[in-house]
Amino acid sequence: MKLIYTFAAIAVLFSSCGKNSDPIPNVAVNFEYPLTDPRLAGLTAGGGVVLLSGYGVAGVILYHEPDGSYAAYDRCSSYKPENKCAVTLDSDHLTVTDPCSGSKFSLADGGPVKGPATYSLKSYYVTVANYEIFVSN
């Protein structure tokens, strides 16, 4: 019985030393904009998307979800994030593509929908209050 507990403990130890579940580096993100700001005009309706430069590792994607909530993701692709390859918006406004690897990510949850990427885009916290959108990590 001791042998089983020893193997279980070793298995837990090795599984906790695996790859990081979020390979995109942590950088401070903390900004706010009024929703009436002309730069956010693309967010007026559900499904709207805005790409912002100067935040995160490679910029930030703001997505107005069809249910009325908002999501924010770093534009840095999770495939080889050390390259800081910024994803670009696809014409359907439902996905973004890493132009360096061809990986595609869903704006619904940031998850990869086409490889070689296997990790989601880094997401940020979004709060909307008094016609202001706040994004932070």
Side-chain angles (χ1 to χ4, degrees):
M1 191 65 158
K2 269 186 162 180
L3 188 58
I4 292 173
Y5 288 124
T6 302
F7 282 124
I10 291 171
V12 169
L13 178 66
F14 281 112
S15 68
S16 66
C17 295
K19 289 185 175 179
N20 184 353
S21 64
D22 190 359
I24 299 170
N26 284 322
V27 296
V29 172
N30 189 10
F31 64 87
E32 66 182 87
Y33 285 104
L35 286 171
T36 56
D37 188 307
R39 292 172 286 189
L40 303 185
L43 298 178
T44 56
V49 182
V50 172
L51 305 178
L52 299 173
S53 300
Y55 303 104
V57 175
V60 170
I61 303 163
L62 291 177
Y63 177 59
H64 188 172
E65 300 186 38
D67 68 2
S69 62
Y70 293 85
Y73 305 103
D74 202 294
R75 288 187 62 197
C76 183
S77 174
S78 64
Y79 183 75
K80 296 187 178 180
E82 63 275 8
N83 294 342
K84 298 182 182 175
C85 196
V87 296
T88 57
L89 185 61
D90 294 337
S91 61
D92 63 8
H93 287 209
L94 300 173
T95 56
V96 290
T97 299
D98 171 355
C100 300
S101 72
S103 297
K104 283 187 176 289
F105 302 88
S106 168
L107 289 176
D109 63 3
V113 294
K114 179 183 173 218
T118 57
Y119 293 103
S120 296
L121 296 173
K122 180 181 222 47
S123 63
Y124 296 112
Y125 297 107
V126 179
T127 306
V128 176
N130 298 322
Y131 300 103
E132 297 267 330
I133 189 165
F134 302 88
V135 178
S136 64
N137 54 352

